[in-house]
Amino acid sequence: QRRTFTAAASNYIDERTSLSTFVKELGRKAFPDHWSFLLGEIALFSFVVILITGTFLTFFFQASMAEVEYAGSYVPLKGVEMSVAMASTLDISFDIRGGLFVRQMHHWAALMFVAAIGLHMLRIFFTGAFRKPRELNWVIGFVMFILAMGEGFTGYSLPDDLLSGNGLRIIDGMIKGIPLIGTWTSFLLFGGEFPGTAIVGRLYTLHILLLPLILLALIAVHLLFVVVHKHTHYAAPGRTQMNAVGPPILPIYAAKAGGFFFLVFGVLALIASMFTINPIWNYGPYDPSPVSAGTQPDWYIGFADGALRLIPPGWEFVLFDRTWSFNILVPLIGLGLFIATVLIYPFIEAWVTGDKREHHIADRPRNMPTRTAIGAAGVTFYAVLWAAASSDLIATHFMLTMEGVIHTLQALLFLGPIIAYFVTKRVCIALQKKDREIVLHGYESGRIVKLPGGEFIEVHQPLDEYDRWRLVSYDTYEPLMLRPNDRGKITTGQRLRAGMSRWFFEDRIAPVTKGELEASHSNHH
Ligand code: HEM
Ligand code: HEM
């Protein structure tokens, strides 16, 4: 038999690397299918697009703040003094073939990247996919989320245009607002008085070397963990806590994911070619005096900008001949606490529920009303901060006073999450009740039948096996009970934990259990 070139080549490689064992093992792994599992992939594929386009940009971008007179082909700015960084970004946009397209693609991919990460994270949260054994992957993921925001911020600070300069000015102000060490820290970062001549070069090293390397390493570990833990799946016949049901990675899943990469790439290319993003030639070079109206950071930095706008002024006093300002420190600590809570949420929930089991079946969000309500409250908190980043635009568009908008948002920041918590919880419970009805009595058919005895009944349609698996819980868990310790005592810590556990499970209309289902069936018969 004649051996083809490919067979010979793969044999050559295999004899030297034993790669085939690995490929066989990995290729046979099952990868469960659901549209929401594509969110992580969109993040991954946008990152690949970012790497490709970013590398192109490094060939032409010059991270220098030396002053030059612009001499490129964009006429309105000819002769204007600007930094080399800005001039080279204008060159990328107007004088380098394909430059504007790649620049826009880099920026749009960055926006998509962070958006996909955010949605991916919400999917993980609301389905409880962060529970044992995936807690560490949640932490790694969240660290990547923060790094991605850092990448975005350092990225759009690079061109040294008016918008990026104003963004850096805010960061500088925040740093200087920290009592005692603020001014020194600012001088250290900027290499002297803001803006100095060093910051673009420093951010550049972070942007193209340090942060991407860390991200890349973490993504590798993240995906390795997805393979090691197996992917979660939604309940269905034959799917258990012990298996993963889906098409094998090779060839089906790999082909699908490969195709999906090109879709993501294509959509990003389409957006980049049709919609302008960051037209720095309209903003002009950075100059501390002008600020164009309605300027905003990229969407994912909005929440931090919003937090700054919502701080009530005047939290400062003079002591020991120094000004101690808490205008910045308090919200920074507040945001820090919020972020830290999200980071360790899997451990908090595990502690509160006392649930130490492994979970491979994803939750239906309604079956975990308290977690879902906490999530909704968190999203609302974030959304209010985000809205606050547009407080000036909200005021001008709706002809409101600036103070009115700010005060409303300040109140909403605290009331909104509470309202969202209770509304979400009630909605979840209502949906659970509906599920219960359906499981125990079947779907309403609208068909009324008269029995021989004269009684009218509505015929209910029994649900098929697939729906039953989806709706019935084979995996219930009870709140922690107060149990005396070895010395027969109940400590305050135990009381607190049991109380929180009861709160977590309270008014949970537990989904129908297997036992209930069987009981209802024998009744019917
Ligand atoms: C799963 C990529 C960020 C937590 C996945 C998967 C991919 C992926 C491709 C498998 C498919 C899927 O379930 O969507 C990424 C990339 C990220 C990122 C490229 C950003 C650079 C995050 C974040 C979190 C997170 C921010 C949470 C805070 C998880 C967890 C799983 C997972 C727990 C396992 C899910 C399961 O088995 O159901 N990630 N992710 N990831 N990701 Fe991410
Ligand atoms: C600029 C984001 C990774 C190279 C930018 C800009 C953003 C951004 C928003 C401003 C673009 C504009 O001018 O409108 C990101 C994000 C990344 C990432 C979120 C990773 C998650 C990279 C990598 C490289 C790179 C890995 C290099 C290999 C550049 C260069 C610029 C830039 C050279 C300056 C040119 C310009 O502003 O057009 N980045 N980037 N980026 N990025 Fe990235």
Side-chain angles (χ1 to χ4, degrees):
Q1 203 181 357
R2 263 186 65 229
R3 292 174 69 192
T4 59
F5 173 73
T6 6
S10 40
N11 200 36
Y12 180 92
I13 293 173
D14 189 37
E15 280 173 1
R16 281 153 188 86
T17 59
S18 307
L19 211 60
S20 69
T21 340
F22 176 71
V23 173
K24 256 189 222 144
E25 192 48 39
L26 189 73
R28 280 176 49 239
K29 277 196 97 71
F31 201 91
D33 240 350
H34 190 264
W35 67 265
S36 66
F37 303 164
L38 291 181
L39 294 167
E41 284 179 32
I42 299 180
L44 183 64
F45 298 151
S46 335
F47 184 68
V48 175
V49 174
I50 287 177
L51 287 182
I52 298 171
T53 51
T55 307
F56 176 94
L57 291 174
T58 57
F59 297 152
F60 307 103
F61 178 73
Q62 291 173 356
S64 155
M65 292 174 86
E67 290 282 317
V68 286
E69 238 175 54
Y70 177 68
S73 57
Y74 184 68
V75 178
L77 287 180
K78 254 195 206 312
V80 173
E81 279 213 5
M82 58 181 67
S83 65
V84 170
M86 168 95 183
S88 68
T89 315
L90 286 173
D91 288 344
I92 293 176
S93 309
F94 295 110
D95 294 291
I96 284 157
R97 193 156 303 187
L100 180 60
F101 173 65
V102 177
R103 211 188 123 226
Q104 300 226 120
M105 206 163 160
H106 190 69
H107 205 133
W108 276 116
L111 295 173
M112 174 91 92
F113 180 56
V114 192
I117 297 178
L119 293 176
H120 171 58
M121 181 174 146
L122 291 179
R123 192 287 280 176
I124 306 284
F125 182 86
F126 286 114
T127 60
F130 55 77
R131 289 172 298 170
K132 189 177 171 187
R134 296 179 182 78
E135 307 98 319
L136 287 184
N137 227 13
W138 167 274
V139 174
I140 293 175
F142 193 67
V143 170
M144 293 199 287
F145 193 2
I146 309 262
L147 287 175
M149 289 193 278
E151 270 292 58
F153 186 81
T154 52
Y156 75 68
S157 299
L158 291 178
D160 202 23
D161 59 299
L162 187 58
L163 189 62
S164 61
N166 278 318
L168 281 172
R169 180 74 193 160
I170 295 177
I171 293 288
D172 176 56
M174 286 172 70
I175 295 170
K176 284 197 177 125
I178 300 173
L180 222 52
I181 56 166
T183 323
W184 289 338
T185 315
S186 161
F187 271 59
L188 192 69
L189 280 179
F190 288 90
E193 180 62 85
F194 175 88
T197 53
I199 192 68
V200 169
R202 292 180 178 177
L203 292 180
Y204 192 53
T205 310
L206 291 182
H207 187 79
I208 69 161
L209 184 71
L210 190 66
L211 295 177
L213 266 187
I214 304 177
L215 256 175
L216 209 59
L218 288 180
I219 288 181
V221 179
H222 193 68
L223 297 182
L224 184 72
F225 271 157
V226 173
V227 171
V228 171
H229 297 145
K230 300 203 257 329
H231 202 279
T232 57
H233 48 191
Y234 290 101
R239 298 188 184 174
T240 68
Q241 298 285 12
M242 306 298 291
N243 64 9
V245 179
I249 293 208
L250 282 177
I252 301 174
Y253 176 74
K256 273 187 175 174
F260 193 52
F261 167 72
F262 289 109
L263 273 179
V264 171
F265 193 103
V267 167
L268 283 172
L270 197 68
I271 299 177
S273 55
M274 306 226 296
F275 302 99
T276 305
I277 185 86
N278 206 15
I280 53 165
W281 50 91
N282 285 343
Y283 310 149
Y286 179 57
D287 169 352
S289 58
V291 179
S292 30
T295 50
Q296 284 176 318
D298 276 349
W299 76 265
Y300 42 85
I301 305 291
F303 80 104
D305 190 11
L308 278 181
R309 297 190 189 201
L310 292 188
I311 310 160
W315 288 350
E316 62 179 39
F317 52 87
V318 178
L319 187 74
F320 303 128
D321 215 18
R322 278 176 196 287
T323 307
W324 299 75
S325 165
F326 292 91
N327 291 335
I328 300 293
L329 209 55
V330 170
L332 269 188
I333 293 173
L335 275 189
L337 282 179
F338 177 64
I339 289 172
T341 313
V342 179
L343 181 75
I344 58 168
Y345 182 81
F347 306 100
I348 303 179
E349 189 184 301
W351 184 78
V352 166
T353 57
D355 187 352
K356 297 205 169 55
R357 304 166 306 165
E358 285 204 359
H359 292 277
H360 299 286
I361 292 188
D363 275 332
R364 250 161 106 66
R366 67 184 63 172
N367 287 344
M368 280 295 176
T370 305
R371 179 201 299 142
T372 306
I374 292 174
V379 170
T380 310
F381 182 75
Y382 182 90
V384 174
L385 288 179
W386 193 18
S390 309
S391 53
D392 50 339
L393 296 180
I394 296 176
T396 50
H397 275 285
F398 296 101
M399 298 192 197
L400 302 164
T401 61
M402 195 63 201
E403 290 76 11
V405 173
I406 292 287
H407 289 154
T408 311
L409 288 173
Q410 281 170 337
L412 265 183
L413 188 63
F414 294 99
L415 295 180
I418 298 174
I419 298 170
Y421 177 89
F422 286 105
V423 170
T424 309
K425 198 156 179 182
R426 290 344 285 182
V427 169
C428 286
I429 290 169
L431 287 171
Q432 277 189 355
K433 285 187 176 162
K434 182 178 136 223
D435 279 359
R436 248 177 187 277
E437 269 305 300
I438 293 174
V439 173
L440 296 177
H441 307 293
Y443 290 108
E444 289 175 13
S445 66
R447 205 153 59 85
I448 310 288
V449 176
K450 187 179 179 189
L451 298 183
E455 181 190 1
F456 287 96
I457 59 156
E458 188 193 356
V459 180
H460 282 229
Q461 231 142 28
L463 56 174
D464 61 27
E465 201 195 355
Y466 197 89
D467 276 343
R468 192 157 38 238
W469 268 85
R470 211 159 52 86
L471 299 181
V472 174
S473 169
Y474 292 85
D475 186 30
T476 47
Y477 202 72
E478 297 295 317
L480 280 177
M481 286 296 145
L482 272 179
R483 273 201 205 88
N485 63 9
D486 301 342
R487 274 177 279 138
K489 278 208 175 122
I490 293 175
T491 60
T492 326
Q494 280 168 324
R495 248 180 244 287
L496 176 78
R497 189 169 168 205
M500 286 178 69
S501 188
R502 252 180 286 119
W503 160 78
F504 190 86
F505 287 101
E506 100 186 344
D507 44 64
R508 190 166 93 137
I509 313 289
V512 174
T513 59
K514 219 172 166 179
E516 271 181 286
L517 187 69
E518 274 154 17
S520 103
H521 271 269
S522 44
N523 270 350
H524 280 284
H525 294 314

